[in-house]
Amino acid sequence: MIVWIIVAVIVVLLVLWAVSVYNGLIKLRNLVQEAWRQIDVELKRRHDLIGNLVETVKGYAAHERGTLEDVMKARSAAMAGGQSPAQQAQSEGMLSQALGRLIAVAEAYPDLKANQNFLALQQELTSTEDRIASARRYYNANVRELNTKVETVPSNVVAGMFKIGREEYFEAEGAERDAVKVDFGQRDATIPAPSGYAAGTEASVPASPPVAAPQTPSDTVPPTDTAPGSPTQS
């Protein structure tokens, strides 16, 4: 009888442990989904702002057709539905590169740079990028915690029983990590040194005075007035 009671207690404890682990996994999965929805909201806002930015640039630089089309194609790819977080991150990375080229083109148009609508859109886009970065960190933190539970013993047993799998991170990979390089045609130009510098030394700093060589005892003995051939004084 006692044996059956011990067995029943062990079974109950195992069930309670399994329920606790399962509830923890479900909580983490819900946090991941919630964090992804926050990213999705900010991404939609980003896409809208980029569309408005392109329309503003088009009014001043309509002949920059190739750059404008590249941005709109990348925007359409990023807005496509059914993408996994990894695929979405890759699409957003390509859009960021196209957007960087568009901003570089805008630098050549002073009237566009001074346009209040253009400046306001840039500011809103910068703020949105900051929120996306913050939401991405929160999402990836929850994904890391869920994946750790799914892959480690003994919680992986419960995860396998209820088919709770790993989630994908939302982060750029490969070339999408590199900053957009802007070249104004002066990459190979020789840039003279500033006028305040000469041979790597600032002109405003006076040169150090020469250091005198240390005197030896023979240098301090005054010369004698004895003419050659004179008797030496004792």
Side-chain angles (χ1 to χ4, degrees):
M1 185 66 179
I2 297 178
V3 174
W4 289 107
I5 294 176
I6 294 175
V7 172
V9 169
I10 292 175
V11 170
V12 170
L13 291 176
L14 287 175
V15 170
L16 292 176
W17 170 81
V19 169
S20 176
V21 172
Y22 174 79
N23 289 340
L25 291 170
I26 295 301
K27 179 181 179 181
L28 286 174
R29 189 175 65 179
N30 290 340
L31 286 175
V32 169
Q33 294 174 353
E34 177 188 3
W36 179 251
R37 283 192 290 269
Q38 293 178 2
I39 292 177
D40 191 53
V41 169
E42 297 299 337
L43 290 179
K44 285 182 171 59
R45 177 176 176 78
R46 181 185 195 235
H47 300 156
D48 292 341
L49 289 171
I50 290 176
N52 293 335
L53 192 68
V54 169
E55 291 300 322
T56 302
V57 173
K58 190 183 298 183
Y60 289 83
H63 60 282
E64 302 285 354
R65 183 174 179 179
T67 303
L68 295 171
E69 288 181 350
D70 288 344
V71 176
M72 295 308 294
K73 288 179 181 178
R75 177 175 176 265
S76 297
M79 294 177 65
Q83 299 186 81
S84 67
Q87 293 171 337
Q88 186 72 54
Q90 185 176 9
S91 299
E92 295 297 330
M94 299 301 295
L95 178 56
S96 294
Q97 289 197 341
L99 180 62
R101 292 191 292 269
L102 178 65
I103 298 300
V105 166
E107 293 292 325
Y109 298 88
D111 292 340
L112 172 60
K113 290 169 59 178
N115 181 272
Q116 293 299 319
N117 188 39
F118 181 75
L119 294 175
L121 286 171
Q122 277 191 306
Q123 185 175 3
E124 286 292 326
L125 190 57
T126 300
S127 177
T128 301
E129 297 287 356
D130 291 340
R131 289 197 294 270
I132 291 174
S134 178
R136 182 175 63 244
R137 287 192 295 269
Y138 177 69
Y139 170 82
N140 287 338
N142 285 304
V143 169
R144 182 177 64 251
E145 188 173 356
L146 174 62
N147 291 347
T148 300
K149 294 286 187 181
V150 169
E151 295 175 348
T152 56
V153 179
S155 55
N156 63 336
V157 177
V158 179
M161 290 174 56
F162 295 98
K163 301 186 183 303
I164 300 175
R166 300 176 72 259
E167 296 288 346
E168 291 183 334
Y169 288 99
F170 179 65
E171 55 186 3
E173 296 181 359
E176 287 76 23
R177 288 184 180 273
D178 299 334
V180 179
K181 298 180 180 179
V182 181
D183 184 6
F184 293 102
Q186 298 181 354
R187 186 180 301 276
D188 299 326
T190 301
I191 301 175
S195 59
Y197 288 79
T201 306
E202 293 190 38
S204 59
V205 179
S208 301
V211 180
Q215 294 183 340
T216 61
S218 60
D219 295 334
T220 60
V221 177
T224 61
D225 296 332
T226 306
S230 301
T232 306
Q233 296 179 354
S234 55

